[in-house]
Amino acid sequence: MTTTLYVFTGTGNSLAAAESLAQKLGNTVIESIPIRMKKAGPVIPDNQKVGFVFPVNYSGVPLILAEFIPRISLSHVPYIFAVATAGGVGRYALIQLDTLLKENGSSLQAGWMIRMVDNYIPYGGAPDDKTQKEILADAEHQLAVIASSIQSEKKEMPKFPLMSQMLHYLLYPRFIRSLPEIDNRFHVDDTCNGCGICRKVCPVENVRILDERPVWQHHCLFCLACINLCPKEAIQLEEKHRRKRRYHNPSVPLKKLVQIQSGFDSSSDQ
Ligand SMILES: Cc1cc2nc3c(=O)[nH]c(=O)nc-3n(C[C@H](O)[C@H](O)[C@H](O)COP(=O)(O)O)c2cc1C
Ligand code: SF4
Ligand code: SF4
């Protein structure tokens, strides 16, 4: 029985989770939501099982996932599930996704949130390597349990994620309104060497390189891939975040991340 996992990631956690699930489930294809969104026409998967794997954004779903749902036809798919990756609090994102699916004629049979390393620099930056390892090892255990639940087509949705629901209503609408020009908050400092990685890891072609410097194009998702993946840490939010530790999921090589984001070859010219 084949499964398709539709994936969105910024810094690799959700891709790592999807790859781990795919390996445990077998017969599973991973599809990039950003790349699929660039192609015209409806998406009609020919599967018994379809899953979504994505990062939580302010206790909600990333904008690109919300925009993808009306494009995908799932009313014929018997088992639909989702795995949200988060720094801590975010289960309401699964309820939001279920609501979006219902508006489009299907629904989630199961949804799980797993804690992975928080990539949201304004919250404090990534923890030290030891803590990261512990968090990711724990996530791997949770993924094993989730994979066996998917295999047995378990029905399981989060119950009353009150704290997450409150955060969602307080923060998510304002976050979505602040897109797409939220990239006005980014600036690049003199340590930039013009390598173009920030362009290649952007899932929505929102970074151009002009005179060997990134220039943001104001259709940003605020996935924070560019700021976290810059090898020189040359991209800054506000000055107070300059020293905050960057993050890149260690099991996802840059080349793979670039392929899932943009389909570029990471070794190609800018
Ligand atoms: C804009 C933004 C908002 C976020 N909001 C939340 C949140 O509300 N709750 C949470 O636990 N983590 C939050 N995070 C952290 C990410 O969900 C988490 O690190 C996720 O695993 C990143 O996945 P990725 O590497 O696939 O992008 C947020 C991250 C970003 C960039
Ligand atoms: S990734 Fe960093 S160093 Fe490379 S072009 Fe972008 S800002 Fe400059
Ligand atoms: S510009 Fe940076 S934060 Fe915005 S969508 Fe692209 S990679 Fe993500």
Side-chain angles (χ1 to χ4, degrees):
M1 193 178 290
T2 58
T3 303
T4 295
L5 294 176
Y6 291 96
V7 178
F8 176 64
T9 190
T11 50
N13 283 344
S14 307
L15 179 57
E19 288 191 325
S20 170
L21 277 180
Q23 200 228 334
K24 291 172 177 56
L25 294 171
N27 233 341
T28 297
V29 175
I30 293 178
E31 278 230 35
S32 158
I33 293 175
I35 291 177
R36 196 62 194 78
M37 284 291 276
K38 284 177 201 158
K39 298 179 187 158
V43 184
I44 309 175
D46 178 19
N47 297 103
Q48 292 294 305
K49 291 181 186 173
V50 165
F52 297 93
V53 189
F54 62 94
V56 167
N57 281 178
Y58 290 100
S59 275
V61 303
L63 179 63
I64 195 167
L65 176 55
E67 290 174 345
F68 182 60
I69 297 304
R71 292 269 311 274
I72 185 164
S73 169
L74 293 174
S75 52
H76 60 291
V77 177
Y79 189 74
I80 305 168
F81 62 91
V83 177
T85 74
V89 178
R91 282 185 172 75
Y92 190 77
L94 296 159
I95 310 275
Q96 184 198 6
L97 177 59
D98 186 43
T99 307
L100 293 169
L101 285 165
K102 283 180 173 136
E103 285 165 5
N104 287 281
S106 57
S107 64
L108 279 183
Q109 270 68 61
W112 300 273
M113 191 197 86
I114 52 172
R115 182 176 174 223
M116 293 185 85
V117 176
D118 199 327
N119 69 356
Y120 190 64
I121 287 170
Y123 283 167
D128 59 61
D129 291 350
K130 182 170 171 282
T131 310
Q132 288 190 26
K133 264 194 192 138
E134 287 165 3
I135 293 172
L136 295 176
D138 197 41
E140 194 49 35
H141 290 306
Q142 291 176 59
L143 285 163
V145 177
I146 291 170
S148 78
S149 296
I150 294 168
Q151 265 151 349
S152 60
E153 302 194 5
K154 194 169 178 185
K155 297 195 172 180
E156 187 176 349
M157 284 294 286
K159 294 202 174 55
F160 313 117
L162 198 59
M163 165 78 109
S164 177
Q165 182 169 4
M166 275 164 48
L167 285 173
H168 177 91
Y169 281 105
L170 276 174
L171 303 175
Y172 186 79
R174 196 148 47 122
F175 169 61
I176 294 296
R177 276 198 304 276
S178 72
L179 302 175
E181 299 202 354
I182 196 167
D183 56 12
N184 282 323
R185 288 175 67 187
F186 293 135
H187 67 274
V188 63
D189 68 29
D190 290 345
T191 58
C192 171
N193 64 7
C195 70
I197 287 174
C198 48
R199 181 179 85 93
K200 291 174 191 163
V201 295
C202 179
V204 286
E205 296 178 18
N206 187 46
V207 183
R208 289 179 65 195
I209 302 290
L210 293 176
D211 297 329
E212 302 195 333
R213 291 284 184 276
V215 180
W216 287 270
Q217 303 298 307
H218 311 310
H219 49 90
C220 183
L221 298 171
F222 215 54
C223 71
L224 301 190
C226 55
I227 182 165
N228 275 300
L229 272 293
C230 168
K232 301 303 246 180
E233 300 190 7
I235 302 174
Q236 311 302 336
L237 277 164
E238 290 78 22
E239 191 51 36
K240 62 186 175 187
H241 302 307
R242 175 180 289 273
R243 296 202 182 283
K244 293 197 175 151
R245 208 157 180 247
R246 306 320 200 230
Y247 177 68
H248 169 193
N249 183 291
S251 65
V252 177
L254 179 64
K255 188 179 166 93
K256 201 176 262 182
L257 194 65
V258 167
Q259 273 164 0
I260 194 114
Q261 299 296 53
S262 56
F264 288 139
D265 173 353
S266 65
S267 60
S268 64
D269 290 346
Q270 298 162 11

